[in-house]
Amino acid sequence: MPAVNAQNQKNLTYPSKTVERAKRSLLCSPFNFGLFAAMLSERVAMSEIVGNSGVNKGYTKAALSELRADNSLVWLIKVGVLRREVDGQGITDSFRLTPLGRQIVEQLQRQTLPTITWRDRFLDVVARWFTLPF
């Protein structure tokens, strides 16, 4: 299979509301930006995120249970930032950035991370609460 030259790929265009919701969800998550920066170049396994491992690697702000980490990662999948890694036998316990997630993380790397306001947190909670399960 030929290698893909990332510089020759076109950036996908997303609606501004989609980008803002995804960016807000990423910043309001219980994960540090270092997790997403690591995902720019490689997959990250759940075992590297949960518990003290996540704190030691700088991926989480505090030790997370597997359930809390999984729920937060699934939310980021729903808003289009992450995807589950797939191997020859099916879905694994690893995660990667989607093209939307890659665009947001690359954009945030070039600037100072914005401060999360109570309004951002409120909008993130409301979006999670009213998202239909299908």
Side-chain angles (χ1 to χ4, degrees):
M1 178 183 277
V4 176
N5 185 348
Q7 293 176 344
N8 291 337
Q9 289 181 336
K10 289 184 179 180
N11 276 344
L12 298 172
T13 305
Y14 299 96
S16 60
K17 286 185 177 186
T18 299
V19 174
E20 286 305 312
R21 182 182 66 176
K23 184 190 291 186
R24 182 174 48 247
S25 296
L26 185 142
L27 293 170
C28 289
S29 74
F31 308 112
N32 289 329
F33 190 74
L35 172 64
F36 306 112
M39 287 182 179
L40 276 172
S41 60
E42 62 189 10
R43 65 176 181 78
V44 177
M46 176 70 83
S47 61
E48 297 176 63
I49 300 170
V50 298
N52 290 329
S53 178
V55 176
N56 294 340
K57 290 184 178 233
Y59 291 165
T60 60
K61 299 168 184 167
L64 299 177
S65 68
E66 188 170 342
L67 179 61
R68 178 149 187 245
D70 190 60
N71 286 339
S72 297
L73 292 165
V74 166
W75 173 244
L76 293 174
I77 290 171
K78 286 182 180 179
V79 296
V81 174
L82 298 180
R83 66 177 173 84
R84 286 198 186 262
E85 182 72 8
V86 178
D87 65 7
Q89 300 195 1
I91 295 176
T92 67
D93 73 338
S94 299
F95 299 85
R96 282 192 177 272
L97 291 172
T98 62
L100 172 61
R102 183 170 293 282
Q103 284 181 16
I104 292 170
V105 171
E106 288 172 348
Q107 175 192 25
L108 290 173
Q109 277 187 323
R110 294 188 297 265
Q111 64 188 39
T112 304
L113 289 179
T115 304
I116 300 303
T117 65
W118 65 269
R119 181 180 182 276
D120 293 327
R121 293 203 186 276
F122 176 75
L123 291 173
D124 189 55
V125 168
V126 168
R128 281 183 182 222
W129 185 264
F130 288 109
T131 298
L132 298 175
F134 49 89

